[in-house]
Amino acid sequence: MKKDLLLSTRLPAAALASLVVSSAAFALEVTPQQVGEVQPEYSPHVNESFPQRVFWGDTHLHTTYSPDAGMLKNFDLGPEEAYRMARGEQVTANNGMQAKLVRPLDFLVVSDHSEYMGLIPEIRGGNPDLLKDPVGKQWYDWYNEGEDGQYKVFLNFAEDLSNNTGRIEFSKIARSTWDYMTETADQYNNPGSFTAFIGYEWSSTPKGDNLHRVVIFKDDADKASRVVPFSSFDSADPEDLWKFLADYEDKTGGRVMAIPHNGNVSNGAMFDTETRSGEPISAEYAKMRMRFERLHEMTQMKGDSETHPMLSPEDEFADYGTWDKANLTGEASPTPEDLPGSYARSALKRGMQIEAEVGANPYKQGFIGSTDSHTSLATAGEMNFFGKASIAEPYAGRWDHVLIQSQTDDSLTTYNYETLAAGLAGVWAEENTRESLFEAMERRETYATTGTRMTVRNFCGFGFESGDVHRSDFARHGYVTGVPMGGELNGAEEGMAPTCVIRALRDPDGANLDRLQIVKGWLNPDGSTGEQVYNVTVSDGREIKPDGSVDPVGNTVDLSIPSYTNTIGDALMFGEWTDPDFDPSKPSFYYVRVLEIPTPTWAAKDSVFFGVEMPDEVPMVHQERAYTSPIWYTPES
């Protein structure tokens, strides 16, 4: 029987007391005070406490204190400049240009690499203790030779990451640098206005396969400074990282999470069916991973990790920002067997398979985007792109400058024109504080974008009715009737199917929207999986054809400027979708993908700004997008 759900803002307390959204591990309880009192105040918002605003941020930014950034021309910009830029100030880039965001960010994580953290500024400054070390002296000499010498130091760093072994003792430098990082984050943290999270990057790269994680603390410097960052020189196994994080929480009472990124350059290692030690994934492993890894960085400069054309051949938008030449260091190409372990959509399906075997899902992760910029500048806009590294800040020839030089095969070398100006994290939270944002990320109430700041909200449940997406109390009704992005649905009554209600609003400084889509994946009784992309709402009065396809939205891009016009597409889209193929016996997931109309890329901007002609393989037009965290359906056992 269909549940009697929210029909007004005046509900009996008993009807609301047991309502819970999100996951069991990090439940957001919806109480009568949060949603609607029996005797309401005149102001409907009194005592109301549920997420009503999306906050924008970058959880993955490097400064000169990261060794690779410091070796590749980021000479001067540290965390202070990074925070100032993120909160809306104008700063001077390493190449002398002025840089500023179109609008300030709400939060930032400075995530310098734990491996050799703070070492390069000391090399640059000629630290006497480092010069006593033969390697330190060699790096100092190379560094002062100029760009070629600095690149030699970078290659040594890359080799050390690949071998998971440091060649210089840097514990004292790491300690003093970490103290500075934590204190500076506290200094710039301004609750309610701008959130500066304490964090760093653990950069395990066994044999060139990317297993990197950004570690984010909920806490202030008083707790976070009680440790020094765990590095891949301590261990390249993520299970050891999780043990370190668990020990931190046990000792300090604090909270911490790890966010993996760039599965697309892991050659299948990021979402493997085995542990790093070669053991099958167990329930204990899956639970520990889900304790600390609630999110996955879906998109960033080093390509998009949603899916791959070979994995999703029926998805016409699967080939976006595809990096499939090689792993992170260009040492080896992925095989077809590697691909499912490299991309988020296939990982979601693989997670359901593992859960059916061991009773826990290691890959039940939400989505965010971030930049991974090594310039200290969190620029994710195509017309404001300052590059992956300071060697690729704007200049006429940067498009074909080598970004990752393969040491084994020149055909595996990656060039700057292959980078994306992505991405950003959207977080639905109650307020702009470390506590509120961190808890929202734990709930997975987040979404990823490729740099656009479109607003997207999605709820799914079994009680939604036609027209609910247009309600004035859309969010309140969504929490009571269903679950938000990142949440979980359990057990469907006979004859029912989940309905998703979706709203999307274009970036006020960006492009109109092309379409709303639902991406569904499911687990069959025989252990195989399936997926399908459904067009839910399309712009400009176009029709969804009987086979589910839609004609292209068109293209207004003028590459001579370059620019586009919002004469096509829609600024605001609503979607209501009930799963037409729902089988209550099959575990499944649903996430929303929103596409903008075509717009020019940063390479198109460079071509006009610097008067440079580029070959056909350089992307000039693309469709930016957003991916919401999935909602999972699990049958009752």
Side-chain angles (χ1 to χ4, degrees):
M1 182 176 67
K2 198 168 188 177
K3 297 176 182 177
D4 184 17
L5 296 166
L6 180 63
L7 299 177
S8 73
T9 59
R10 300 173 63 182
L11 289 177
L16 291 172
S18 63
L19 288 172
V20 175
V21 300
S22 193
S23 71
F26 298 99
L28 170 64
E29 295 184 2
V30 182
T31 69
Q33 289 74 29
Q34 292 169 324
V35 181
E37 292 282 5
V38 176
Q39 299 296 327
E41 299 282 351
Y42 181 83
S43 170
H45 311 297
V46 173
N47 297 320
E48 191 173 68
S49 181
F50 59 84
Q52 300 193 60
R53 178 181 165 190
V54 63
F55 295 95
W56 290 105
D58 184 358
T59 64
H60 190 177
L61 183 71
H62 296 271
T63 77
T64 187
Y65 288 92
S66 280
D68 49 353
M71 296 169 198
L72 300 176
K73 291 192 174 182
N74 186 347
F75 301 139
D76 302 311
L77 302 189
E80 295 190 50
E81 288 80 7
Y83 292 130
R84 287 176 46 226
M85 173 81 168
R87 68 186 188 183
E89 296 180 38
Q90 183 169 302
V91 301
T92 303
N94 284 277
N95 67 356
M97 289 182 173
Q98 296 299 297
K100 187 176 182 179
L101 299 179
V102 61
R103 301 193 304 279
L105 294 178
D106 299 303
F107 63 92
L108 179 69
V109 182
V110 171
S111 58
D112 285 314
H113 294 283
S114 54
E115 297 76 17
Y116 297 144
M117 179 183 282
L119 183 66
I120 295 305
E122 299 297 321
I123 291 283
R124 190 161 60 234
N127 182 306
D129 291 333
L130 284 174
L131 295 183
K132 295 175 185 177
D133 183 301
V135 176
K137 179 63 165 61
Q138 178 68 83
W139 283 15
Y140 174 80
D141 291 341
W142 280 346
Y143 197 90
N144 285 288
E145 289 176 5
E147 186 173 332
D148 290 342
Q150 291 156 13
Y151 191 67
K152 291 179 186 178
V153 181
F154 172 77
L155 292 178
N156 272 194
F157 169 67
E159 182 180 338
D160 290 353
L161 285 186
S162 189
N163 295 331
N164 307 307
T165 304
R167 66 182 77 193
I168 295 179
E169 166 57 40
F170 71 107
S171 58
K172 290 183 180 179
I173 294 172
R175 173 75 270 176
S176 61
T177 301
W178 183 240
D179 287 343
Y180 167 65
M181 291 289 186
T182 60
E183 291 166 4
T184 304
D186 277 7
Q187 175 188 344
Y188 279 85
N189 187 53
N190 186 7
S193 178
F194 178 79
T195 295
F197 280 106
I198 295 170
Y200 69 90
E201 180 174 339
W202 176 80
S203 310
S204 175
T205 320
K207 298 182 179 179
D209 296 342
N210 183 81
L211 290 177
H212 297 193
R213 270 85 167 163
V214 170
V215 174
I216 303 176
F217 294 82
K218 182 182 180 181
D219 313 308
D220 58 19
D222 177 62
K223 289 182 178 178
S225 63
R226 297 183 202 178
V227 296
V228 291
F230 188 82
S231 85
S232 64
F233 299 157
D234 297 311
S235 173
D237 191 327
E239 289 188 78
D240 292 326
L241 173 66
W242 304 332
K243 291 175 184 175
F244 171 83
L245 302 181
D247 185 61
Y248 167 81
E249 291 190 341
D250 291 343
K251 287 182 177 179
T252 68
R255 294 277 285 280
V256 65
M257 70 170 64
I259 303 178
H261 56 270
N262 281 123
N264 61 322
V265 286
S266 72
N267 279 5
M270 185 62 79
F271 304 112
D272 207 342
T273 55
E274 296 181 343
T275 68
R276 292 305 300 166
S277 58
E279 298 295 323
I281 289 179
S282 65
E284 181 182 8
Y285 173 99
K287 291 175 182 177
M288 182 63 87
R289 185 160 183 161
M290 280 301 93
R291 173 179 171 182
F292 291 110
E293 298 189 2
R294 306 288 294 171
L295 301 174
H296 171 61
E297 188 180 293
M298 174 79 103
T299 189
Q300 59 131 281
M301 292 185 184
K302 298 194 302 295
D304 194 89
S305 296
E306 185 206 7
T307 191
H308 187 280
M310 290 180 63
L311 297 171
S312 304
E314 302 301 316
D315 183 354
E316 63 180 309
F317 297 101
D319 192 10
Y320 179 79
T322 304
W323 278 37
D324 57 4
K325 288 181 183 179
N327 58 6
L328 179 60
T329 59
E331 294 183 38
S333 295
T335 66
E337 292 73 27
D338 290 333
L339 291 178
S342 298
Y343 290 89
R345 190 187 300 177
S346 53
L348 293 173
K349 295 190 290 182
R350 179 170 280 181
M352 293 189 297
Q353 291 174 314
I354 294 171
E355 184 173 23
E357 295 175 3
V358 305
N361 184 343
Y363 303 136
K364 193 172 278 189
Q365 296 178 327
F367 301 148
I368 59 164
S370 283
T371 66
D372 192 17
S373 170
H374 284 58
T375 62
S376 307
L377 311 175
T379 57
E382 296 292 329
M383 300 297 104
N384 192 35
F385 182 50
F386 273 72
K388 161 74 175 177
S390 295
I391 57 170
E393 289 177 347
Y395 75 95
R398 69 164 170 167
W399 65 274
D400 68 344
H401 192 286
V402 170
L403 180 65
I404 300 173
Q405 175 67 62
S406 173
Q407 301 302 303
T408 59
D409 183 342
D410 283 345
S411 69
L412 305 183
T413 293
T414 301
Y415 295 85
N416 279 324
Y417 71 80
E418 298 173 88
T419 60
L420 300 175
L424 289 175
V427 178
W428 284 100
E430 296 176 42
E431 56 187 2
N432 189 3
T433 63
R434 285 174 174 170
E435 294 77 11
S436 185
L437 293 171
F438 190 94
E439 289 166 6
M441 289 190 281
E442 284 187 317
R443 294 193 309 269
R444 302 174 300 223
E445 201 165 351
T446 63
Y447 62 102
T449 82
T450 54
T452 174
R453 299 196 203 182
M454 68 171 79
T455 302
V456 185
R457 201 155 206 186
N458 175 44
F459 297 91
C460 295
F462 294 105
F464 289 109
E465 299 179 347
S466 178
D468 279 353
V469 73
H470 299 291
R471 291 179 63 125
S472 61
D473 60 347
F474 173 74
R476 180 187 291 108
H477 186 59
Y479 283 113
V480 175
T481 309
V483 298
M485 58 184 77
E488 299 183 42
L489 296 170
N490 296 295
E493 297 179 12
E494 186 175 352
M496 299 182 68
T499 293
C500 297
V501 289
I502 311 157
R503 286 184 176 181
L505 176 67
R506 72 166 233 204
D507 182 335
D509 296 301
N512 275 347
L513 308 180
D514 169 10
R515 66 187 73 190
L516 308 180
Q517 298 178 308
I518 288 281
V519 179
K520 177 188 176 183
W522 65 89
L523 177 66
N524 294 312
D526 64 0
S528 63
T529 62
E531 68 173 63
Q532 187 166 345
V533 179
Y534 298 87
N535 286 307
V536 175
T537 306
V538 295
S539 63
D540 294 339
R542 290 173 294 158
E543 293 186 358
I544 300 173
K545 300 176 184 179
D547 65 357
S549 65
V550 177
D551 291 332
V553 68
N555 188 347
T556 66
V557 173
D558 182 345
L559 290 175
S560 69
I561 300 177
S563 189
Y564 62 93
T565 61
N566 278 320
T567 52
I568 60 174
D570 290 345
L572 175 65
M573 281 188 161
F574 299 93
E576 290 182 338
W577 177 85
T578 300
D579 187 350
D581 306 303
F582 182 64
D583 183 336
S585 69
K586 295 181 180 180
S588 52
F589 63 80
Y590 307 89
Y591 66 87
V592 175
R593 184 171 65 184
V594 187
L595 299 173
E596 289 184 351
I597 64 173
T599 53
T601 66
W602 68 265
K605 162 78 175 283
D606 277 23
S607 178
V608 173
F609 190 89
F610 294 111
V612 176
E613 288 192 20
M614 301 178 189
D616 292 341
E617 61 263 29
V618 180
M620 292 287 166
V621 178
H622 69 157
Q623 285 187 258
E624 297 221 55
R625 54 202 64 196
Y627 311 104
T628 68
S629 291
I631 291 171
W632 289 265
Y633 166 75
T634 303
E636 290 182 344
S637 56

